[in-house]
């Protein structure tokens, strides 16, 4: 089954404790992206990647790191989480289509609480 | 940067009614997509529609790129259509996406 998976689905942690949220897709998509969703603010893009070893900042990259060492995986790293990073996080993937992407497919989301 | 506005912010319908959701954007785009977030939080792609018109069952969408807006039509609404509808755009020369703040739809039985 074609899908985007995220782990963990739920996480409660404390300020400053490094964490990684994993994202994996089995559709051989070049493009992968991370978003956070907060009430009243919709979805905001954190980072995206056009292919292996190619990443770029979205609108809200501060406090996050990413890496793309394999095509299928795009982990999101919070080196020192803070309470303002409490949010619902989504990973997405898409084929590249010309100078843009095709339809994005989203993972199920990761709800993160930082105390 | 580009601004994306969706209207109306909230909509309540009786089952069977039709509705039109609007997405306005402030600059030219090379990509526009519509998504539905169901009450369980899952995001489902509806349309990839940078221009023109597409239909999928009871849903259809039209993007008029030259006038910087897109419309999502829902006909004969069902309770399962409830949730939040988002449009997302990307501009030329970038793979960055900007989402609108969404239209929250509730369909009553």
């Amino acid at each position: 089954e074609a899908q985007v998976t995220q782990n963990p689905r739920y996480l409660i942690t404390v300020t400053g404790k490094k964490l990684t949220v994993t994202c994996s897709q089995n559709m051989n998509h070049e493009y992968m992206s991370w978003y956070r969703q907060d009430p009243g603010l919709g979805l905001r893009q954190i980072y995206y990647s056009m292919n292996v070893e190619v990443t770029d900042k979205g609108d809200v990259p501060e406090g996050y790191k990413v890496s793309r060492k394999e095509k299928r995986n795009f982990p999101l790293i919070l080196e020192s989480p803070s309470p303002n990073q409490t949010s619902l996080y989504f990973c997405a993937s898409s084929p590249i289509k010309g100078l843009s992407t095709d339809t994005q497919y989203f993972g199920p989301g990761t709800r993160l609480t930082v105390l | 940067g580009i601004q994306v506005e969706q209207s109306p912010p909230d909509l309540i319908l009786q089952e069977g009614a039709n509705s039109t959701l609007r997405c306005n954007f402030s600059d030219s785009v090379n990509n526009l997509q519509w998504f539905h977030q169901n009450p369980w939080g899952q995001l489902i792609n509806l349309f990839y529609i940078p221009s023109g018109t597409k239909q999928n069952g009871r849903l259809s969408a039209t993007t008029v790129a030259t006038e910087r807006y897109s419309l999502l039509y829902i006909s004969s609404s069902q309770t399962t259509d409830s949730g939040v509808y988002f449009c997302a755009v990307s501009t030329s020369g970038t793979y960055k996406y900007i989402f609108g703040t969404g239209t929250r739809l509730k369909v009553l039985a």
Side-chain angles (χ1 to χ4, degrees), chain B residues 56-106:
Chain B
N56 185 2
R58 296 180 297 103
L59 272 58
S60 63
T62 295
T63 297
V64 184
T66 53
E67 297 189 21
R68 300 181 182 171
Y69 72 89
S70 183
L71 301 174
L72 177 69
Y73 305 97
I74 305 174
S75 64
S76 304
S77 57
Q78 302 175 356
T79 55
T80 52
D81 295 331
S82 295
V84 184
Y85 290 80
F86 292 103
C87 65
V89 304
S90 178
T91 57
S92 297
T94 176
Y95 292 92
K96 184 188 292 190
Y97 276 90
I98 304 296
F99 276 69
T101 51
T103 292
R104 184 174 299 275
L105 173 65
K106 186 166 186 175

Side-chain angles (χ1 to χ4, degrees), chain B residues 19-91:
Chain B
S19 61
T20 301
L21 283 56
R22 188 176 180 102
C23 173
N24 290 336
F25 40 96
S26 61
D27 203 350
S28 52
V29 300
N30 66 350
N31 196 324
L32 188 144
Q33 301 181 26
W34 282 97
F35 299 92
H36 174 220
Q37 187 170 35
N38 64 25
W40 296 270
Q42 187 182 10
L43 278 159
I44 300 159
N45 61 72
L46 298 176
F47 293 103
Y48 165 82
I49 187 163
S51 63
T53 297
K54 288 187 177 180
Q55 179 155 8
N56 185 2
R58 296 180 297 103
L59 272 58
S60 63
T62 295
T63 297
V64 184
T66 53
E67 297 189 21
R68 300 181 182 171
Y69 72 89
S70 183
L71 301 174
L72 177 69
Y73 305 97
I74 305 174
S75 64
S76 304
S77 57
Q78 302 175 356
T79 55
T80 52
D81 295 331
S82 295
V84 184
Y85 290 80
F86 292 103
C87 65
V89 304
S90 178
T91 57

Side-chain angles (χ1 to χ4, degrees), chain A residues 68-88:
Chain A
R68 186 98 180 267
K69 294 184 172 21
E70 304 168 281
K71 196 172 187 179
R72 63 183 292 125
N73 296 323
F74 191 44
L76 180 70
I77 303 158
L78 285 73
E79 295 267 2
S80 183
S82 62
N84 64 12
Q85 292 178 297
T86 292
S87 188
L88 178 58

